[in-house]
Amino acid sequence: MTDFPYGSIGDFRSKALNDGQDAATDLERLRHYAAGTNPANHAYITISGSLPHDGKEQLPMAGPLAGVPYACKDVFETKSMITTAGSRALADYQPKTDAKAVESLERAGAVLIGKTNMHEFCYGITGKNPVYGTPVNPHDPSRLAGGSSSGSAVSVATGSAVFALGSDTGGSVRVPAALCGLVGLKPTYGLISTKGMIPFCWTLDHAGIMARSCLDTASVLQVLAGWNDATKGRGETRLERRLQALSTEFLIGKRIGIPRRYFFDNLDDEIASAVEKTLLFCQEHGAELVEVQTPDMTHVRPASLAIQLVEALSWHGPRMDENAHIYGDDVRNGLVQGQFILGEHYVQSLRLMELKRQEFAACFKSIDIMITPTTPVIAPELSTQSVSAGVEGELVGNALARYTCVFNLTGQPALTIPCGLHSSGLPMGLQIIGKPYEDLSVLSIGHVLETAGALGWIQPISGGPSE
């Protein structure tokens, strides 16, 4: 496995198709690596007890993800492993079927390494979990990995998985991806099925993808969205070939919206500088930078939380009647708040969501994509309760989701991609937002910026399967 310790989908697929037995051995080593590092990084809740063929036989050679190891957030139901959603309340829950996304990946040949750790029931952007341990940032174990899909980010960043599934209700894929130096995609609402995914908030939940490149992310999205030849064939897909053929010429004439108000306010200076550098690169290669008027964001976060708490309580309420005592304190206390949100407040929040969809759609009439920072701060320390990035004493959760949660309301595709290292040695993230169902355009621009060296995955200084 030392020949590609941080291999791509293409690396693992090629090996599976050319030497299935050797590929199976590599997968078994990865499983042992995941198990060996888990006590320190808390990436996984459950690791597969054995993999298909257990490293002793040749892997089946079929599908665009043949032999590719992946992890999935423990909110996706799996018939081969328990599904806990990061909670003692579901510690013994054994689904009878796989989630639709898991089923699609298996059909495409991907191999599940394990179920990843998370903020209990997706209730939190920090990723803290007192039951299964808090996943730590691979770039600095004294820092948060972000959440709620925290373990998914750690599994990919440390190399035990090539990609991972997560869920994103207000930034829960993009935030941990940004803090851990990864690519993270929240696709257009509904593009990836959430069937078989334990819900947090039906209206805002998106299934998403984390990987180390836009190309790998696109390869997985093709399978999960059911595009074209996604579950057939033995080698590169047409989508992969299409992306690989792109160059910086793709940027010529692209209109990039810059919403300065709000999205560039109260922002870490180094993150702001990194985003500006990328915008300048795009402009130098033919893109047009367009200053756009940011819609009023005053009530976005409160509306998002109101929708989340009401819908989460509707699922958890009956279960809490008997099991409230085994819920974590933060989850239980938060869900209780949902009881005090009036029906009219919930409806007003849904109306605001529709208003933001209309306002952002109007913004996008004059632009192709929008670029913002992903988070206003780098990964906070594990014990941090509040941060200061222009807003004194802002709660960590509010700060980390400040630039991401509105795009769960609008349902637009939003991609985070690493835009360099902070002077602290921690990754910084840039967010690319597109029009609904133009996910491929967003990934294409991300891929062009990666291959040109303007952006891209940041490997932790230490760690990795080969060590």
Side-chain angles (χ1 to χ4, degrees):
M1 188 168 58
T2 54
D3 51 345
F4 47 89
Y6 279 104
S8 66
I9 283 176
D11 291 330
F12 277 91
R13 179 179 58 208
S14 177
K15 197 160 192 179
L17 298 179
N18 292 310
D19 190 342
Q21 184 171 346
D22 196 26
T25 300
D26 276 352
L27 289 171
E28 188 63 16
R29 289 176 184 167
L30 270 184
R31 184 178 71 84
H32 285 293
Y33 165 71
T37 55
N38 204 53
N41 64 29
H42 305 294
Y44 292 90
I45 290 176
T46 306
I47 297 172
S48 175
S50 63
L51 298 174
H53 305 277
D54 213 14
K56 298 174 184 177
E57 300 176 32
Q58 183 168 310
L59 280 174
M61 297 182 292
L65 301 179
V68 179
Y70 81 100
C72 76
K73 186 176 184 177
D74 204 20
V75 77
F76 291 88
E77 294 182 336
T78 50
K79 60 187 178 185
S80 62
M81 300 180 216
I82 59 170
T83 300
T84 71
S87 177
R88 287 179 295 180
L90 293 180
D92 299 319
Y93 175 50
Q94 179 63 67
K96 295 181 179 179
T97 59
D98 288 329
K100 177 66 175 177
V102 172
E103 183 183 281
S104 297
L105 292 172
E106 182 177 345
R107 198 164 56 245
V111 180
L112 181 60
I113 295 290
K115 308 289 293 295
T116 54
N117 204 348
M118 53 181 285
H119 207 118
E120 183 178 1
F121 284 122
C122 305
Y123 185 79
I125 204 88
T126 64
K128 292 181 179 179
N129 191 308
V131 178
Y132 297 102
T134 296
V136 297
N137 196 300
H139 294 265
D140 181 348
S142 70
R143 303 273 182 160
L144 292 169
S148 61
S149 307
S150 45
S152 291
V154 175
S155 70
V156 177
T158 55
S160 62
V162 174
F163 69 90
L165 292 181
S167 64
D168 190 314
T169 307
S172 292
V173 163
R174 289 160 290 157
V175 168
L179 300 188
C180 294
L182 299 170
V183 172
L185 175 68
K186 179 200 77 66
T188 298
Y189 180 75
L191 186 60
I192 298 177
S193 173
T194 56
K195 182 180 180 181
M197 190 177 91
I198 294 173
F200 179 59
C201 172
W202 293 277
T203 298
L204 304 178
D205 284 347
H206 297 61
I209 304 161
M210 295 185 206
R212 294 188 287 268
S213 72
C214 290
L215 181 62
D216 280 356
T217 303
S219 298
V220 178
L221 180 63
Q222 181 177 225
V223 168
L224 295 176
W227 292 341
N228 299 328
D229 54 354
T231 58
K232 301 176 183 179
R234 291 165 49 90
E236 261 185 357
T237 64
R238 284 174 290 185
L239 174 59
E240 290 170 346
R241 290 191 291 273
R242 176 178 170 181
L243 285 180
Q244 288 171 332
L246 296 176
S247 69
T248 52
E249 291 183 358
F250 185 74
L251 296 173
I252 296 174
K254 288 290 185 291
R255 298 165 300 169
I256 300 176
I258 310 171
R260 297 247 175 234
R261 187 174 62 82
Y262 184 82
F263 286 100
F264 286 78
D265 293 341
N266 306 315
L267 174 63
D268 178 279
D269 289 342
E270 292 185 47
I271 297 176
S273 178
V275 174
E276 295 292 350
K277 182 179 178 181
T278 303
L279 290 170
L280 180 60
F281 178 92
C282 292
Q283 186 178 47
E284 290 172 344
H285 287 81
E288 178 187 355
L289 303 186
V290 182
E291 301 277 343
V292 295
Q293 185 66 34
T294 309
D296 182 8
M297 303 291 285
T298 306
H299 301 296
V300 164
R301 181 68 173 158
S304 173
L305 291 174
I307 296 169
Q308 290 177 36
L309 290 176
V310 169
E311 295 193 7
L313 183 64
S314 73
W315 193 87
H316 287 281
R319 293 163 176 81
M320 289 181 66
D321 288 343
E322 296 182 359
N323 295 317
H325 63 288
I326 57 177
Y327 276 65
D329 290 343
D330 64 332
V331 181
R332 182 174 60 251
N333 294 338
L335 290 172
V336 166
Q337 293 178 44
Q339 298 178 82
F340 301 102
I341 298 174
L342 300 178
E344 73 172 284
H345 296 155
Y346 176 70
V347 171
Q348 287 171 352
S349 296
L350 292 176
R351 292 181 67 188
L352 184 135
M353 179 179 75
E354 180 57 31
L355 176 62
K356 296 307 150 189
R357 287 181 176 177
Q358 294 175 9
E359 291 175 342
F360 274 92
C363 281
F364 272 81
K365 287 182 179 179
S366 60
I367 59 176
D368 299 304
I369 62 162
M370 184 179 284
I371 287 182
T372 75
T374 306
T375 63
V377 295
I378 55 173
E381 294 183 351
L382 290 169
S383 59
T384 300
Q385 300 297 316
S386 62
V387 295
S388 298
V391 179
E392 192 67 33
E394 185 177 15
L395 292 175
V396 169
N398 289 340
L400 291 178
R402 194 199 301 163
Y403 301 149
T404 57
C405 73
V406 68
F407 300 113
N408 291 82
L409 293 173
T410 65
Q412 296 167 259
L415 175 79
T416 184
I417 183 168
C419 60
L421 282 177
H422 194 270
S423 59
S424 63
L426 293 166
M428 303 177 290
L430 173 149
Q431 185 175 214
I432 304 174
I433 305 100
K435 299 174 184 177
Y437 300 103
E438 293 193 5
D439 304 64
L440 184 54
S441 294
V442 169
L443 285 164
S444 295
I445 289 174
H447 175 70
V448 167
L449 293 173
E450 278 181 338
T451 54
L455 302 174
W457 174 58
I458 299 171
Q459 181 175 336
I461 294 174
S462 62
S466 62
E467 296 194 0

